[in-house]
Amino acid sequence: MSNGQHGQQQAPAGGQWYPPEWPDRIRALADGSLVPVEPRRAATVMLLRDTPDGPAVHMLRRRASMAFAGGAYAYPGGGVDPRDEEHQVGWAGPSQEDWAARLGTDPRTAQAIVCGAVRETFEEAGVLLAGQTPDEIVGDTTGDDWEADRQALVARELSFAEFLDRRGLRLRSDLLGAWARWITPEFEPRRYDTWFFVAALPEGQRTRNASTEADRTVWIRPADAAAGYDKGELLMMPPTISTLRSLEPYGSAGRALAAAAEQDLAPVLARATLEDGEVVLSWPGHDEFTKRVRTAGPADPAAPAGPADPAAPGGTT
């Protein structure tokens, strides 16, 4: 969040949030005194596993003490490491050129984005989408040696390419499907261009709360998570609830992964205007999130604070 620590709070049913500095920043953007910052590339993964009641998605709740999105539920994710553009990476599945065509980037950028998705899933959930051959996936990754490598990746002491080389592994890009893309509004001081991916939990692996930024992790059916949001019980940002709703029609993790190729990756860029003393928030193509909120001071209950960045991945700081 851009307006400091807000702590865990109950989400208003069907509501949206904005921090008190938004109106001033929106005015500054409109009059040209605010120059938008360049968004940082990021990736986040909706990790699925099958249950008797349908697929469940792995979500984490960010700690209340986090300066950004404290108390919000999100998926494992974070910023792309520029080093992943530069090094040859052990690779299996669709080529970097194929991924570039799907993501709308060049091959080097596509490699870095896919690497970011796989690396962040390992860093924050302990799940690794890689194997020694194009048809193999690693098994249990909870040993001390794996943990040492994970910590080195988190600290950026080890690049993802170096990690794969050390382990003799290939990134299994065929285990990922690109699902959506959201970009933080231009008036925000911290911006992300985030690609959302879907993947199935590999057999033999299990998730764990490996992130220092999360105080809870859950496996939950997308419909149940969406219902919690609608009731005001679960705090989420627009891309999270939007992608959850888009997963609901699929009866298995495999079906969702197969459907990824048909998902629209046109970037969703939130817009905000000031009209007659109200902040009007809208996300083109996502009318659910259009909201008119009366501008008020931070102490006014009419302007509750909450997640300010509708495109940032769960693990980005």
Side-chain angles (χ1 to χ4, degrees):
M1 290 178 289
S2 63
N3 59 326
Q5 179 178 324
H6 297 304
Q8 295 176 9
Q9 57 190 318
Q10 188 175 45
Q16 291 299 313
W17 306 260
Y18 75 95
E21 69 267 23
W22 265 21
D24 288 342
R25 296 189 64 85
I26 294 167
R27 291 188 189 96
L29 180 68
D31 66 23
S33 60
L34 174 65
V35 178
V37 300
E38 191 71 19
R40 180 186 179 191
R41 288 193 295 270
T44 189
V45 177
M46 300 178 287
L47 192 63
L48 301 173
R49 74 176 183 190
D50 289 321
T51 77
D53 298 320
V57 63
H58 179 70
M59 304 189 76
L60 54 84
R61 184 177 67 185
R62 292 178 61 79
R63 294 183 183 277
S65 58
M66 296 302 297
F68 165 72
Y73 282 81
Y75 314 114
V80 168
D81 187 344
R83 292 177 296 179
D84 290 335
E85 293 185 19
E86 304 164 1
H87 300 293
Q88 183 174 358
V89 175
W91 196 270
S95 69
Q96 287 89 336
E97 289 74 18
D98 290 336
W99 276 105
R102 177 67 176 127
L103 300 179
T105 67
D106 61 86
R108 288 177 58 186
T109 300
Q111 173 178 286
I113 293 167
V114 174
C115 281
V118 175
R119 174 179 46 76
E120 287 288 338
T121 304
F122 181 52
E123 288 183 9
E124 297 201 337
V127 170
L128 182 59
L129 305 177
Q132 291 186 332
T133 72
D135 301 317
E136 181 195 58
I137 310 174
V138 298
D140 181 36
T141 61
T142 59
D144 291 344
D145 56 335
W146 287 104
E147 178 60 17
D149 281 350
R150 192 192 68 81
Q151 292 283 3
L153 286 168
V154 171
R156 299 298 182 260
E157 298 167 355
L158 186 66
S159 75
F160 194 60
E162 292 168 338
F163 163 71
L164 293 175
D165 285 345
R166 174 185 296 184
R167 292 277 178 175
L169 297 174
R170 302 183 186 193
L171 181 154
R172 289 285 306 274
S173 78
D174 56 314
L175 301 180
L176 284 171
W179 196 266
R181 181 182 179 187
W182 290 66
I183 302 176
T184 308
E186 293 181 332
F187 53 82
E188 277 282 64
R190 186 187 308 194
R191 303 186 65 212
Y192 300 95
D193 185 351
T194 303
W195 280 263
F196 286 72
F197 294 85
V198 65
L201 178 68
E203 185 177 351
Q205 294 193 42
R206 61 183 187 271
T207 56
R208 56 196 175 94
N209 184 6
S211 173
T212 59
E213 299 175 356
D215 62 8
R216 183 189 184 200
T217 61
V218 296
W219 282 100
I220 186 170
R221 292 193 316 132
D224 293 338
Y229 168 88
D230 290 335
K231 295 175 184 176
E233 297 171 353
L234 300 181
L235 181 65
M236 298 180 202
M237 292 174 287
T240 307
I241 183 59
S242 173
T243 50
L244 279 171
R245 295 201 200 284
S246 69
L247 287 172
E248 289 186 39
Y250 303 101
S252 70
R255 290 176 183 173
L257 189 58
E262 306 303 321
Q263 301 302 310
D264 185 3
L265 293 189
V268 180
L269 176 62
R271 305 183 188 282
T273 57
L274 287 172
E275 300 177 10
D276 300 325
E278 292 181 318
V279 173
V280 181
L281 300 173
S282 63
W283 284 258
H286 298 266
D287 293 340
E288 172 187 358
F289 306 120
T290 299
K291 184 74 173 178
R292 302 181 72 94
V293 186
R294 181 172 59 84
T295 58
D300 191 322
D309 187 337
T316 298
T317 55

